């Protein structure tokens, strides 16, 4: 099952909205001006000054539409350039805070980062339905941890995508809950409507902007 990070690029979203608005304004203004000229009183025609003002407004809307078209083209070219620069990421391991795929056997390398004042750190794992399947106390610190993919009874979990959360405790109180970063192999870099994304094991897809580190893939 694909799990895609959700994010909308502010620049792309603004450019798309502006283009739609300006296209509508452009067509509406053209129809209104044409209708006005066709239906004006021949004995009291529109003055040259009025026509000049309307033509100037029409030209401004047209230029804005062309500017937004150009901006969309530049954004598309930028995405292709960025994809070319990131082609070297394919085959490497990305550290990212996203749902993680467990293949039923291979441990997943986590990079937990508990709060500095925490006295205890607990890894909370939930399946795709949102059901909590395990809680494991982790060593304090930010060292990598090999999650074995086991439930609360120590049984191996089935293949699937799991959500990983880290609870930072201080005494008997939870002071912070955060997503847990893990290392996953990048199999593909894609251009999506929201920007460049990386395809990770299990169909997990996340924006490259969410990746915090890249390293060489570990060999068994």
């Amino acid at each position: 099952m694909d799990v895609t990070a959700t994010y909308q690029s502010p620049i792309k979203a603004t450019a798309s909205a502006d283009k739609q608005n300006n296209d509508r304004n452009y067509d509406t203004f053209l129809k209104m001006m044409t209708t006005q000229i066709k239906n004006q009183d021949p004995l009291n025609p529109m003055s040259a000054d009025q026509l000049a003002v309307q033509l100037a407004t029409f030209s401004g809307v047209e230029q804005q539409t062309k500017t937004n078209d150009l901006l969309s083209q530049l954004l598309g070219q930028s995405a292709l350039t960025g994809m070319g620069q990131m082609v070297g990421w394919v085959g490497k391991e990305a550290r990212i805070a996203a749902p993680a795929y467990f293949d039923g056997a291979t441990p997943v390398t986590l990079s937990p980062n508990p709060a500095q004042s925490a006295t205890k750190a607990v890894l909370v794992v939930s399946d795709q339905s949102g059901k909590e399947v395990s809680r494991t106390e982790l060593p304090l610190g930010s060292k990598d941890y090999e999650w074995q993919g086991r439930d609360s009874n120590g049984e191996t979990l089935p293949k699937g995508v799991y959500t990983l959360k880290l609870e930072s405790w201080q005494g008997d109180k939870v002071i912070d809950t955060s997503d847990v970063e893990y290392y996953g192999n990048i199999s593909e870099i894609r251009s999506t409507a929201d920007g460049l994304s990386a395809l990770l094991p299990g169909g997990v897809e996340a924006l490259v902007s969410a990746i915090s580190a890249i390293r060489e893939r570990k060999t068994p």
Side-chain angles (χ1 to χ4, degrees):
M1 179 177 179
D2 287 349
V3 179
T4 306
T6 56
Y7 171 77
Q8 177 68 26
S9 167
I11 295 177
K12 178 169 285 188
T14 301
S16 177
D18 286 347
K19 183 181 186 303
Q20 292 176 359
N21 289 334
N22 282 315
D23 284 346
R24 286 195 294 267
N25 291 339
Y26 180 85
D27 292 339
T28 300
F29 185 82
L30 180 60
K31 291 176 181 179
M32 289 178 62
M33 189 176 72
T34 303
T35 301
Q36 183 180 9
I37 293 175
K38 289 170 62 177
N39 294 281
Q40 65 179 329
D41 185 352
L43 299 178
N44 185 27
M46 183 189 306
S47 70
D49 290 342
Q50 290 178 317
L51 181 60
V53 170
Q54 294 199 18
L55 288 174
T57 304
F58 176 79
S59 178
V61 174
E62 182 181 28
Q63 289 301 317
Q64 185 63 46
T65 301
K66 290 181 178 179
T67 298
N68 280 279
D69 287 341
L70 179 59
L71 178 58
S72 297
Q73 293 174 11
L74 291 174
L75 286 172
Q77 293 172 0
S78 177
L80 290 175
T81 300
M83 188 185 302
Q85 294 173 342
M86 293 174 183
V87 68
W89 289 15
V90 176
K92 290 184 170 56
E93 289 187 330
R95 187 176 71 198
I96 189 167
Y101 175 71
F102 176 60
D103 64 9
T106 309
V108 178
T109 303
L110 309 183
S111 292
N113 188 23
Q116 290 185 349
S117 58
T119 57
K120 182 174 70 173
V122 177
L123 173 66
V124 182
V125 181
S126 302
D127 62 18
Q128 287 179 272
S129 69
K131 178 184 176 182
E132 184 179 304
V133 294
S134 72
R135 297 177 71 88
T136 306
E137 185 171 347
L138 304 184
L140 288 174
S142 56
K143 293 183 179 180
D144 289 349
Y145 175 82
E146 297 296 320
W147 178 57
Q148 302 297 323
R150 300 184 186 278
D151 63 17
S152 296
N153 297 319
E155 300 294 329
T156 301
L157 290 165
K159 295 179 182 179
V161 177
Y162 294 87
T163 299
L164 309 172
K165 297 285 186 179
L166 186 68
E167 291 182 349
S168 294
W169 289 71
Q170 192 176 70
D172 59 355
K173 180 181 179 181
V174 177
I175 59 174
D176 183 63
T177 301
S178 59
D179 294 327
V180 179
E181 291 187 322
Y182 73 97
Y183 281 96
N185 299 324
I186 299 177
S187 60
E188 185 179 340
I189 297 294
R190 297 177 174 179
S191 178
T192 71
D194 296 329
L196 294 178
S197 67
L199 188 64
L200 303 169
V204 174
E205 186 174 0
L207 293 178
V208 297
S209 58
I211 295 174
S212 60
I214 295 290
R215 72 181 186 185
E216 294 294 335
R217 182 174 180 178
K218 287 186 175 181
T219 55

